[in-house]
Amino acid sequence: MVTNSQQDSESLNTQELDAIYAISRVVTRASELDASLDEIIGIARTVFIFDNVVLYVHQKTDNIEPSYARAIGRGRNSEYDLAWGESIAKDVLTSGKIVVRQEIAGDVSKDRMNARYFLGLPLISGDNNIGALVFVRYGGPQFTPDHTHLAEYIAGHIAQLYEHGFLITRLSLLEAERQLERLQDVFVATVSHELRTPLGFIKGYATTLLREDTNWNEDDRREFLTIIDEETDRLKELIDNLLDSSRLQSGTLRMEFQPLRLDTMLKDLPLRAKSFDERLTLNINLETSDLQVQADPTRLAQVFDNLLSNVVKYAPGSKVNITLSSQDNQAHIAVSDNGPGIPEENLPNIFSRFYQVPNQNRSVRGSGLGLFICRRIINAHEGEITAESNFGEGTTFHIYLPLMNHNSGEA
Ligand code: ADP
């Protein structure tokens, strides 16, 4: 018994078969759609005569749109190509069948180009008619059943190419959705964990104080209330950080930019530092003065607050050196400590949201949001923040901000 495919292949000559195999190879390794179509059309031209080809794709809106067009032979005119094929593509899509048509636009004996022959083929992917492939020949020859047969192979392969493309797009959309879900899960888990810790303390000490079977002395009561007070501050700080980080992430945190003298701002830091730790000593070195930047003073102060509170948490007892200088139209502020430093392998991650260096002192409480917020704030100022660290020797954060008037203040 002769199967359909045997019959089909018998009706193609060797050159045509070679071309079809070459086309199917393009489909299997298809990467970029237009480049693959160019290749297929190039191969098809070696065994199939046509002057123009247009591929129409069925849109969700029920329209058809030309998605690819090549004018190769006589009558090269892309604009015109698109118009002529549309009515044929519509007929192909409504009938789901091959449409062969000819148009005589003038006296063919004077100009053979007055005769145009069209061949429209449906592009079938699974059960769906995804579009139409329309070939045109100027001045003939007419499309014979043999030609149509060959064109069907080409259309079949192009439909596969589209299906391949759809699948890849669908897969990457699904992957993106899954990735988002995973991120949301991690976010919810991290946030719940972070909120639970201070809440646990508050609940525990409040319940303890409320116990009717025990009379707490004044010192104990004060100690418990102090813990509740500190943990409430911590909870507030966490929620503020979470809000800031999600606003910075979505770009909805409002910044109030104004000209700001960096030396003035840095001179205020020692006083601010005392609010984190009485013992924190800052050594401020202004290599240049009168450097002005466009900045939101509150947000920029928040960056320094974060860096200083990190010194208290991660480099306790360390001195802090802060240097202001300028280079290449930028202000450069370096904040260094001589604490334990950050291991080299962890350094690239410290500005990521929720990242905390593993195995650090258990008594240190953090959320991994501080440096993420710092980087986002500095980026919103069109600046940059980086870190360098020698493990065991200390850490330096470098902040670069574009200067407003970089020539005015060189010391
Ligand atoms: P958190 O908000 O939890 O304090 P950050 O985003 O501010 O976290 O910092 C990320 C990590 O970088 C911290 O887990 C800490 O290990 C490390 N780190 C930050 N600053 C310093 C520093 N000055 N010295 C050593 N390690 C630091």
Side-chain angles (χ1 to χ4, degrees):
M1 191 185 129
V2 180
T3 64
N4 272 345
S5 61
Q6 279 170 314
Q7 279 174 351
D8 287 348
S9 54
E10 275 162 17
S11 63
L12 298 175
N13 66 35
T14 322
Q15 198 195 356
E16 289 166 342
L17 266 177
D18 284 349
I20 292 299
Y21 285 140
I23 289 174
S24 59
R25 278 198 296 276
V26 176
V27 174
T28 43
R29 66 171 156 74
S31 48
E32 211 263 310
L33 187 64
D34 268 15
S36 305
L37 282 170
D38 277 348
E39 212 175 326
I40 290 179
I41 295 302
I43 299 167
R45 271 281 286 180
T46 62
V47 289
F48 186 69
I49 302 164
F50 59 90
D51 292 297
N52 293 326
V53 60
V54 183
L55 205 148
Y56 295 86
V57 174
H58 199 189
Q59 304 292 309
K60 282 201 188 97
T61 49
D62 254 13
N63 284 339
I64 52 164
E65 289 288 335
S67 113
Y68 174 89
R70 283 294 174 269
I72 299 171
R74 290 163 285 187
R76 281 159 163 266
N77 181 339
S78 295
E79 285 305 307
Y80 192 53
D81 295 342
L82 302 182
W84 56 249
E86 194 162 320
S87 73
I88 293 169
K90 278 187 179 145
D91 290 350
V92 170
L93 275 166
T94 357
S95 66
K97 297 207 171 95
I98 294 172
V99 173
V100 184
R101 193 173 294 159
Q102 77 181 69
E103 253 180 47
I104 307 297
D107 190 344
V108 182
S109 62
K110 286 200 180 127
D111 186 353
R112 272 171 48 81
M113 296 280 285
N114 279 333
R116 295 204 296 272
Y117 299 93
F118 299 105
L119 172 63
L121 305 118
L123 291 177
I124 314 272
S125 162
D127 291 335
N128 298 323
N129 199 347
I130 57 169
L133 183 68
V134 183
F135 291 103
V136 68
R137 286 175 180 169
Y138 289 105
Q142 288 194 39
F143 288 102
T144 64
D146 270 0
H147 296 160
T148 309
H149 195 55
L150 188 57
E152 267 185 292
Y153 276 100
I154 299 167
H157 280 89
I158 290 180
Q160 271 185 41
L161 193 68
Y162 264 80
E163 192 171 70
H164 187 84
F166 289 145
L167 281 178
I168 287 178
T169 315
R170 179 102 196 88
L171 272 177
S172 54
L173 282 176
L174 277 175
E175 187 43 44
E177 273 172 30
R178 281 180 46 197
Q179 173 79 357
L180 193 67
E181 274 171 25
R182 274 199 295 267
L183 280 178
Q184 282 168 344
D185 286 350
V186 171
F187 181 81
V188 171
T190 316
V191 168
S192 325
H193 175 79
E194 293 302 327
L195 295 178
R196 225 184 225 150
T197 315
L199 261 182
F201 279 110
I202 295 168
K203 171 76 183 151
Y205 285 102
T207 309
T208 309
L209 280 172
L210 285 171
R211 276 173 62 170
E212 286 177 358
D213 55 349
T214 319
N215 269 330
W216 300 106
N217 65 39
E218 192 46 37
D219 284 351
D220 288 340
R221 279 171 58 84
R222 265 210 89 71
E223 190 193 332
F224 297 166
L225 284 170
T226 308
I227 293 172
I228 291 175
D229 188 49
E230 283 171 3
E231 292 302 316
T232 314
D233 285 346
R234 157 116 192 102
L235 206 53
K236 181 179 175 306
E237 185 194 311
L238 251 174
I239 291 169
D240 287 347
N241 275 347
L242 279 168
L243 277 176
D244 280 355
S245 93
S246 73
R247 286 189 192 133
L248 282 160
Q249 182 92 336
S250 62
T252 52
L253 187 78
R254 271 197 38 198
M255 301 264 175
E256 309 273 349
F257 289 103
Q258 61 186 66
L260 182 83
R261 274 186 63 150
L262 287 172
D263 54 344
T264 316
M265 197 205 71
L266 293 180
K267 279 179 196 155
D268 286 345
L269 279 184
L271 199 63
R272 294 182 75 90
K274 295 285 171 229
S275 67
F276 301 114
D277 192 324
E278 272 295 319
R279 290 156 298 175
L280 193 59
T281 319
L282 304 195
N283 174 19
I284 298 192
N285 174 19
L286 303 174
E287 286 180 14
T288 52
S289 59
D290 193 20
L291 293 183
Q292 282 210 78
V293 293
Q294 274 290 350
D296 179 325
T298 316
R299 294 295 167 190
L300 206 54
Q302 190 179 352
V303 171
F304 289 99
D305 288 354
N306 260 320
L307 296 182
L308 295 179
S309 77
N310 277 355
V311 174
V312 175
K313 286 194 287 187
Y314 307 109
S318 165
K319 279 204 179 115
V320 184
N321 284 314
I322 300 181
T323 313
L324 173 67
S325 58
S326 73
Q327 63 187 59
D328 304 335
N329 303 352
Q330 286 188 314
H332 173 205
I333 305 160
V335 181
S336 334
D337 63 58
N338 47 16
I342 300 169
E344 201 182 333
E345 69 268 25
N346 304 117
L347 205 55
N349 299 319
I350 58 170
F351 293 99
S352 305
R353 194 144 82 134
F354 297 126
Y355 185 82
Q356 291 177 277
V357 172
N359 306 324
Q360 60 197 6
N361 187 346
R362 290 208 143 258
S363 65
V364 170
R365 307 263 298 278
S367 59
L369 289 172
L371 289 177
F372 169 81
I373 291 175
C374 290
R375 176 163 275 180
R376 289 294 169 127
I377 291 177
I378 296 296
N379 289 351
H381 285 74
E382 292 175 4
E384 219 189 316
I385 178 167
T386 59
E388 68 173 323
S389 185
N390 284 329
F391 194 42
E393 292 176 20
T395 309
T396 304
F397 287 91
H398 299 276
I399 296 174
Y400 302 91
L401 291 169
L403 283 174
M404 278 177 70
N405 51 347
H406 69 281
N407 286 328
S408 68
E410 300 294 326

